[in-house]
């Protein structure tokens, strides 16, 4: 296993690949690249009072990736942002959830980078 | 399980493309990937597929719109499995009305998804045979 960290759960991808370390590293690489631009976009939309519909679409997109490589708090917070933005409400809660995502993601990121292809 | 079956993967998320491609190829399928519904429609114009696995929310043309077009406008009888990051039951009426044959939540269970595709392909072949 390329990464052992309490915040990062690679069980889904490990099970799918049968523990193929090369494949897991490849998937981590795609995840890091996808999340980097995706999180920047989400953060920009939320902090600069973007349209709820755009926030919903972006959170929904990232939720899909965050369900594959799980980082504690990230998936649940994206689900929350996705739901609130869809209902066009709770901007303060959305901002709190974004802060949690950024904190946990930034803590996990060095380990993800070390474990990528 | 899916030996030699031509399957079109439609998803705008590179990570999902990678996972789906790996799982389907591991089970013997021959895959082609489209980044959105519009590309999917172009693909089915020029190639025959045994099944399509289609994300629902995508830019350009979403999975529901693309499925509706492929099934009802083009009249193509290809099994379509929808993929959603939401609860499948919540969207039941929506994906059914769009012509999707089944819908699965992400992250999906690989053996369940493959078995479902096999069943849909077999049912589709049986239907075509019965209408001859």
């Amino acid at each position: 296993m390329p990464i052992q960290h309490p915040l990062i759960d690679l069980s889904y991808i490990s099970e799918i690949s049968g523990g193929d370390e090369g494949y897991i590293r490849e998937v981590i690489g795609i995840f890091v690249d996808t999340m980097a631009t995706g999180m920047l976009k989400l953060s920009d939309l939320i902090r600069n009072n973007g349209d709820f519909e755009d926030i919903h679409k972006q959170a929904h997109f990232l939720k899909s990736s965050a369900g594959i490589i799980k980082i504690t708090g990230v998936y649940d917070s994206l689900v929350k942002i996705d739901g609130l933005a869809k209902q066009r409400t709770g901007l303060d809660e959305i901002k709190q959830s974004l802060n949690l995502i950024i904190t946990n993601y930034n803590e996990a990121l060095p380990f993800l980078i070390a474990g990528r292809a | 399980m899916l030996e030699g079956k031509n399957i079109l993967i439609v998803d705008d998320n590179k990570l999902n493309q990678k996972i789906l491609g790996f799982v389907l190829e591991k089970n013997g399928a021959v895959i082609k990937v489209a980044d959105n519904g519009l590309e999917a429609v172009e693909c089915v114009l020029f190639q025959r597929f045994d099944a399509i696995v289609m994300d629902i929310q995508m830019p350009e043309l979403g999975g529901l719109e693309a499925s509706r077009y492929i099934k009802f406008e083009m009249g193509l009888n290809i099994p379509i499995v929808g993929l959603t990051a939401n609860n499948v039951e919540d969207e039941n009426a929506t994906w059914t009305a769009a012509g999707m044959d089944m819908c699965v939540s992400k992250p999906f269970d690989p053996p369940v998804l493959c078995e479902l595709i096999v069943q849909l392909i077999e049912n589709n072949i049986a239907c075509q045979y019965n209408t001859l």
Side-chain angles (χ1 to χ4, degrees):
Chain A
M1 187 74 75
I3 301 174
Q4 298 282 356
H5 189 275
L7 278 181
I8 304 166
D9 176 3
L10 297 177
S11 56
Y12 180 71
I13 189 62
S14 181
E15 194 181 328
I16 281 179
S17 68
D20 181 336
E21 196 166 308
Y23 179 77
I24 294 172
R25 286 185 184 279
E26 255 186 83
V27 172
I28 293 170
I30 298 170
F31 175 78
V32 170
D33 294 341
T34 307
M35 291 298 277
T37 48
M39 296 256 292
L40 275 175
K41 190 175 173 186
L42 182 66
S43 176
D44 182 56
L45 285 167
I46 293 172
R47 289 181 170 151
N48 296 310
N49 296 319
D51 184 68
F52 273 121
E53 179 64 18
D54 292 335
I55 294 171
H56 155 61
K57 281 183 180 169
Q58 189 59 18
H60 188 87
F61 176 83
L62 291 173
K63 189 172 82 173
S64 185
S65 300
I68 293 170
I69 291 181
K70 298 186 183 88
I71 300 168
T72 304
V74 171
Y75 179 78
D76 292 340
S77 298
L78 285 168
V79 170
K80 193 169 185 180
I81 294 174
D82 183 19
L84 287 168
K86 197 173 181 180
Q87 293 168 40
R88 300 179 167 276
T89 185
L91 193 57
D92 287 341
E93 272 186 88
I94 286 175
K95 284 178 179 170
Q96 283 170 16
S97 295
L98 176 68
N99 289 338
L100 177 68
I101 290 171
I102 290 171
T103 301
N104 286 10
Y105 185 75
N106 284 346
E107 193 178 330
L109 187 57
F111 296 91
L112 291 168
I113 289 171
R116 68 173 294 173
Chain B
M1 189 183 259
L2 290 164
E3 282 77 16
K5 300 297 181 194
N6 288 300
I7 299 180
L8 177 63
I9 292 171
V10 193
D11 203 312
D12 59 322
N13 185 315
K14 300 290 177 201
L15 195 59
N16 287 330
Q17 290 177 0
K18 182 81 180 169
I19 304 288
L20 271 169
F22 182 83
V23 167
L24 296 177
E25 281 185 328
K26 200 174 163 186
N27 281 278
V30 179
I31 62 152
K32 188 172 177 68
V33 178
D35 286 333
N36 55 57
L38 200 57
E39 281 187 21
V41 170
E42 287 171 3
C43 285
V44 298
L45 276 173
F46 298 107
Q47 191 179 336
R48 181 194 156 277
F49 292 96
D50 296 293
I52 300 173
V53 181
M54 176 111 72
D55 186 24
I56 287 189
Q57 191 168 306
M58 292 181 288
E60 305 289 337
L61 189 68
L64 295 173
E65 294 82 1
S67 294
R68 206 173 286 126
Y69 191 81
I70 290 167
K71 284 284 180 82
F72 305 132
E73 298 294 326
M74 297 174 79
L76 293 177
N77 190 21
I78 308 171
I80 300 177
V81 179
L83 284 178
T84 177
N86 294 330
N87 189 319
V88 172
E89 281 73 30
D90 292 347
E91 298 177 345
N92 202 327
T94 315
W95 58 258
T96 307
M100 286 182 167
D101 297 272
M102 194 48 78
C103 196
V104 172
S105 282
K106 292 187 281 188
F108 60 89
D109 183 327
V112 170
L113 179 69
C114 289
E115 182 60 38
L116 182 63
I117 294 171
V118 168
Q119 280 178 19
L120 289 173
I121 291 173
E122 283 175 359
N123 289 347
N124 194 42
I125 292 168
C127 285
Q128 286 177 17
Y129 181 79
N130 287 336
T131 55
L132 285 177

